[in-house]
Amino acid sequence: MKKLRNRQTGKPANNGPAPLCSHSLRDVENHYCAGCGHGIIHRLVCEAIDELSIRERVIGVAPVGCAVIAYDYWDFDVTEAAHGRTPAVATGIKRVRPNNIVFTYQGDGDLAAIGTAEIIHAANRGENITVVFVNNGVYGMTGGQMAPTTLAGQKTATTIHGRSLRREGYPLKILEMLSVLPGTKYAERVAVNSAHEVLRAKRAILKAFKMQMEGKGFSIVEVLSMCPTYWGMTPIQAADRIKNEVATFYPLGVIKSC
Amino acid sequence: MTKKLLMCGNEACGEGAILAGCKFYAGYPITPQNELTAYMAKRMYETGGSFIQAESELAAVNMVFGAAAAGARAMTSSSSPGVSLKQEGISYLAACEIPAVIVNMQRGGPGLGNIGPSQADYFQAVKGGGHGDYRLIVLAPASAQEMLDLTFLAFDLADKYRTPSFILGDGLLGQMMEPITIPSKLQPKEYQKPWALTGCKGRKPNILRSLLLGDGALEEHNKKLQLKFAAIKDAEVHCQCFNTKDADIIIVAYGSVARISKAAMEAARAKGIKVGLIRPITLWPFPEKIIEAAARTAKKFLVVEMSAGQMVEDVRLAVGDKAKVSFYGRMGGGVPDDKEILREIETLI
Ligand SMILES: Cc1ncc(C[n+]2csc(CCOP(=O)(O)OP(=O)(O)O)c2C)c(N)n1
Ligand code: SF4
C-alpha cells in the first residue's frame, strides 16, 4: 500500500503505521471527538471506493450533521445538501449522470427525522444510489438532542429523564421500514464497535456500492455508531453500549438482499 | 424555419426550457401550473431528459440542486404555496452558486388561498424569500410567447452568472392559450462548468458547499456574491416603456397586469389623457434608473398590481419625491380590468 503524505509538508503522515487506505481519504487531522464512529465510517467508505477503483467516478452527498464537512476528509467530488434533502440531491445527480457512483452519507437526524420523506421516496423509486446511514441515536452536531432512533429510556438534552415511549414515541427502525419497499434492493445493519464488526461493516459498504455498479437499485447500510460525547461515556463504554444495548434493539445483519 | 404553435403559457414555459437544453425537471402538482409539469413529463421523455414527479416541492428543488450541481440545465416549477416550500433549496442554490431555473405561476394567498391569479409573491421573489443575503434574477413574462422567450433567457442568465434565476408568472398567464412563434435559429449558448460534479477524473475534486466556518470565510463569500449581484444589476435590466416621453401619468405594472394596463393606457390616450406605461421585465434587477428618469417629466405614477402593494415600494424608492405615486391593487385572485384602471387614472387628473 502507498504511504500517505501530509499535503502541506510533504512528509510521511505521522499517525502511526502506514494507513491501510490511500487515495480517497485525505491525510488531515479530523475534528471528530475521541471514540466517535464517524471517522471509522469515513475510512470504510474510502477503502471501499479505492478497492472498487471508483474514486474518479464517485460523487458523494454530505449531510447536515457532525459529518457535514466530510469533504475535508474525502478526496473526490462532494456536495453538501440541505438537512435531510440528501437523497433528493443524490437523485438529481444520479439521474443526469447515471454512470457516476452516487452515495449519500447521513446521520439519524438527517435521514430518520427531517429527511424521512426523501429517503422513503428515493428507496421507493428504486433510485440506483447507495446510502450510508449513521445511527448514533442522538443529534451530535446540535448538542445531543433526541433523535428518532434514541432508545427508550435514553437520556439526551431534550429527554432529560430518559426517552418516554408514551411522550416521545418509539425508536424508529428505518431499515425494517425501507425493506418492505420493493425499490429497496439491499439493506444491511452493521456496527463499528469492534474490529470484527468494522470488517463486516466494510463488507456491507462494498456490497452496497457493488449493487449500484451493477445497476441493481437502492442500497442502504445502517451503521450503529458511537457518540461518546453525548452518551456521556468513555469511548470504550460507548463501544460496549453498542453491543449490550443498541444492537439488541437494532439487530445486526442483512435485513434485505435481492 | 420558424414554427407557429397554439399553447398555454405553462406549456410555452416548458417548451422554452426544452429549447434551452433543459435536461432535468422535477415538480409536484399544484394548480394553476399543472400543464407545465405534464408538458415536461411528455417532453423530457421525448428529448431523453429526466422527469421526476417528486414527493414534495422541497424534494423537487433539491433534486434540481443535484442535477444542476452535476452540470445539467435543470428546472422546477410550482405555484405560491409550493414555492414557499422551495425557498430552502433556492437559498442553497444561490449560496453554492448553482445555476437553475425556478418558476412560480402565482395564485391567490396567503395560506392555501385560491387558484386565481395573483402577484402577491413579489416580495418573496424579489427581496430574497429564503434565508441569507442573496438575490435572484427575476423575469416577469406578460404573454405565452414571453413565457417561452424569458424561460430560454432565464437558463442563459443562470449559467452566465452561476446563480439561480426565477420566472414570476401568474395563473392567468399560465392558463391563457395564445399563438407562439419558435424562431428557427434558437440555439442555447454553451457554458463551461469546470465547477460541476462529474467525478474527479483528470482533475482535483470539486466541492460544492455553503458552510464556511473559517474565520471571515463566510463574509468573504458573501462579498463575492454581492459583487456578482452588482454586476447583474449593471448589465441585465430589461424593461419596456410605452408613451412615457410626453406622459403626465405613468402606469407601472408587470406581467399580465401590464397588458391590461396597456389597454387602459390606450383608452386614456383616446380620451386625450397623456398616459404612459413602464413595464419591468426584470423585477430584479429593477429598472429603477428608468423610472427615476421618467419621474423627471411625469407628474404622477400609478402602480397597478394583483397584490396589496408590493412592487409599489420599489417604484416609490425610485421616484423619491420627484412625483406622486399612487397604487391600485386587487387581491386574493381578483384581476383588475382596463375600465377599472382607467377609472383610477381619471381620479388622478
Ligand atoms: C433545516 C435545518 N434544521 C436544523 C438544523 C440544525 N441541525 C444541524 S445538524 C442537526 C442534527 C444532526 O443530527 P444527525 O443527523 O443525527 O447527525 P450527527 O450530528 O449525530 O452525526 C440539526 C438539527 C439545520 N442545519 N437545518
Ligand atoms: S458529537 Fe458525537 S457524533 Fe459528533 S463528533 Fe462528537 S462523538 Fe461524533
Side-chain angles (χ1 to χ4, degrees):
Chain A
M1 293 271 169
K2 191 176 140 216
K3 181 141 171 64
L4 270 185
R5 287 184 181 276
N6 182 300
R7 271 156 206 270
Q8 274 91 41
T9 61
K11 289 188 190 140
N14 57 2
N15 47 356
L20 289 172
C21 97
S22 51
H23 307 296
S24 293
L25 192 66
R26 293 178 201 255
D27 177 26
V28 289
E29 261 178 43
N30 86 52
H31 74 291
Y32 296 113
C33 311
C36 175
H38 276 306
I40 304 169
I41 304 164
H42 281 15
R43 186 187 186 108
L44 295 182
V45 167
C46 290
E47 286 184 3
I49 287 169
D50 288 339
E51 279 175 35
L52 295 167
S53 303
I54 52 173
R55 179 182 159 268
E56 295 182 328
R57 284 169 67 197
V58 156
I59 302 174
V61 187
V64 171
C66 281
V68 59
I69 51 172
Y71 40 68
D72 282 354
Y73 310 119
W74 293 340
D75 202 16
F76 43 80
D77 280 10
V78 185
T79 181
E80 243 168 56
H83 196 20
R85 317 294 166 231
T86 334
V89 171
T91 296
I93 298 172
K94 186 72 182 183
R95 289 291 182 110
V96 300
R97 299 201 64 87
N99 294 327
N100 285 81
I101 304 301
V102 181
F103 77 97
T104 71
Y105 184 105
Q106 303 178 255
D108 42 11
D110 197 80
L111 184 143
I114 196 166
T116 331
E118 283 79 4
I119 197 69
I120 288 177
H121 289 279
N124 196 45
R125 285 190 304 268
E127 293 296 339
N128 191 27
I129 59 171
T130 300
V131 174
V132 178
F133 168 35
V134 180
N135 176 356
N136 60 11
V138 285
Y139 285 19
M141 194 190 206
T142 41
Q145 295 87 352
M146 182 188 75
T149 46
T150 298
L151 294 182
Q154 186 178 335
K155 287 187 179 148
T156 71
T158 49
T159 54
I160 48 175
H161 301 297
R163 180 178 189 160
S164 145
L165 296 182
R166 207 161 60 83
R167 212 175 33 231
E168 278 96 28
Y170 299 85
L172 207 53
K173 288 188 173 169
I174 285 284
L175 279 208
E176 284 77 355
M177 277 171 60
L178 293 180
S179 293
V180 302
L181 305 176
T184 302
K185 298 300 179 198
Y186 174 65
E188 179 165 359
R189 189 179 286 119
V190 295
V192 286
N193 57 311
S194 68
H196 177 71
E197 297 301 343
V198 166
L199 286 175
R200 285 169 60 154
K202 163 95 172 278
R203 278 202 293 276
I205 293 170
L206 265 170
K207 164 101 179 167
F209 276 125
K210 277 191 199 148
M211 297 283 290
Q212 182 181 164
M213 291 165 77
E214 290 161 12
K216 294 258 171 69
F218 187 84
S219 55
I220 179 164
V221 178
E222 175 175 339
V223 189
L224 302 183
S225 176
M226 298 77 73
C227 176
T229 304
Y230 291 114
W231 294 0
M233 292 178 176
T234 65
I236 290 174
Q237 287 169 335
D240 287 344
R241 179 177 179 258
I242 296 243
K243 180 160 161 253
N244 301 329
E245 279 183 58
V246 187
T248 57
F249 183 81
Y250 295 109
L252 300 180
V254 177
I255 314 280
K256 182 173 184 183
S257 182
C258 47
Chain B
M1 223 178 54
T2 58
K3 247 194 329 200
K4 266 197 183 286
L5 295 166
L6 188 67
M7 277 185 165
C8 70
N10 284 330
E11 292 168 336
C13 174
E15 193 54 33
I18 297 291
L19 288 166
C22 178
K23 284 282 173 270
F24 184 89
Y25 172 95
Y28 186 86
I30 185 168
T31 310
Q33 62 83 58
N34 288 321
E35 296 79 7
L36 176 48
T37 311
Y39 192 80
M40 291 312 268
K42 175 170 158 264
R43 295 290 281 141
M44 279 294 164
Y45 179 76
E46 289 167 358
T47 57
S50 271
F51 168 89
I52 300 184
Q53 180 172 327
E55 58 270 30
S56 70
E57 290 85 350
L58 270 171
V61 71
N62 283 289
M63 287 172 185
V64 163
F65 180 104
R73 283 194 158 182
M75 179 168 97
T76 182
S77 68
S78 189
S79 180
S80 310
V83 177
S84 291
L85 281 181
K86 290 191 198 292
Q87 295 305 323
E88 177 196 68
I90 295 172
S91 168
Y92 277 74
L93 284 166
C96 296
E97 300 186 85
I98 299 177
V101 175
I102 304 108
V103 180
N104 181 2
M105 302 307 281
Q106 299 166 89
R107 63 186 240 180
L112 195 52
N114 63 17
I115 57 169
S118 167
Q119 295 181 323
D121 303 346
Y122 176 92
F123 284 155
Q124 187 194 55
V126 167
K127 309 283 177 190
H131 58 285
D133 269 325
Y134 72 91
R135 292 290 190 170
L136 296 172
I137 301 171
V138 182
L139 302 166
S143 63
Q145 181 69 52
E146 284 191 354
M147 285 297 295
L148 184 145
D149 297 342
L150 294 186
T151 304
F152 188 88
L153 177 66
F155 276 98
D156 186 67
L157 292 174
D159 275 353
K160 181 171 170 191
Y161 292 102
R162 240 192 105 173
T163 200
S165 58
F166 198 89
I167 300 285
L168 191 66
D170 63 63
L172 188 62
L173 269 177
Q175 303 291 313
M176 205 162 42
M177 299 280 284
E178 291 188 287
I180 59 159
T181 308
I182 299 176
S184 54
K185 287 203 189 84
L186 209 53
Q187 270 298 327
K189 224 186 263 173
E190 294 263 342
Y191 290 85
Q192 293 298 317
K193 298 185 177 178
W195 48 266
L197 306 184
T198 54
C200 63
K201 193 171 167 59
R203 60 161 168 75
K204 280 196 179 141
N206 282 339
I207 308 291
L208 290 172
R209 64 192 296 184
S210 60
L211 181 85
L212 294 151
L213 295 176
D215 214 10
L218 186 57
E219 188 163 26
E220 280 312 308
H221 180 59
N222 268 280
K223 282 184 189 159
K224 187 182 136 204
L225 291 180
Q226 290 304 322
L227 283 177
K228 172 162 76 179
F229 299 141
I232 297 172
K233 210 170 159 180
D234 273 351
E236 304 297 347
V237 174
H238 297 273
C239 177
Q240 270 184 330
C241 297
F242 304 94
N243 297 330
T244 49
K245 292 235 163 65
D246 68 338
D248 293 326
I249 301 171
I250 292 180
I251 307 172
V252 187
Y254 71 94
S256 336
V257 179
R259 267 171 90 171
I260 303 166
S261 298
K262 195 160 173 246
M265 173 193 79
E266 279 153 11
R269 285 262 165 190
K271 287 186 161 194
I273 314 168
K274 286 187 181 164
V275 174
L277 171 68
I278 294 180
R279 178 208 154 205
I281 296 173
T282 48
L283 297 175
W284 197 88
F286 194 67
E288 55 209 16
K289 293 205 177 106
I290 294 163
I291 292 174
E292 189 198 347
R296 289 192 203 122
T297 53
K299 298 180 192 74
K300 286 176 183 166
F301 282 75
L302 172 65
V303 180
V304 189
E305 294 176 61
M306 290 190 284
S307 80
Q310 301 195 7
M311 182 178 72
V312 64
E313 293 191 3
D314 288 330
V315 176
R316 287 208 168 103
L317 275 175
V319 169
D321 54 10
K322 294 189 192 71
K324 186 170 176 284
V325 180
S326 306
F327 174 73
Y328 182 69
R330 294 284 305 271
M331 293 171 285
V335 182
D337 66 24
D338 47 346
K339 291 187 199 72
E340 265 171 273
I341 300 172
L342 180 60
R343 265 201 307 278
E344 212 47 41
I345 292 168
E346 285 171 331
T347 64
L348 292 180
I349 310 169

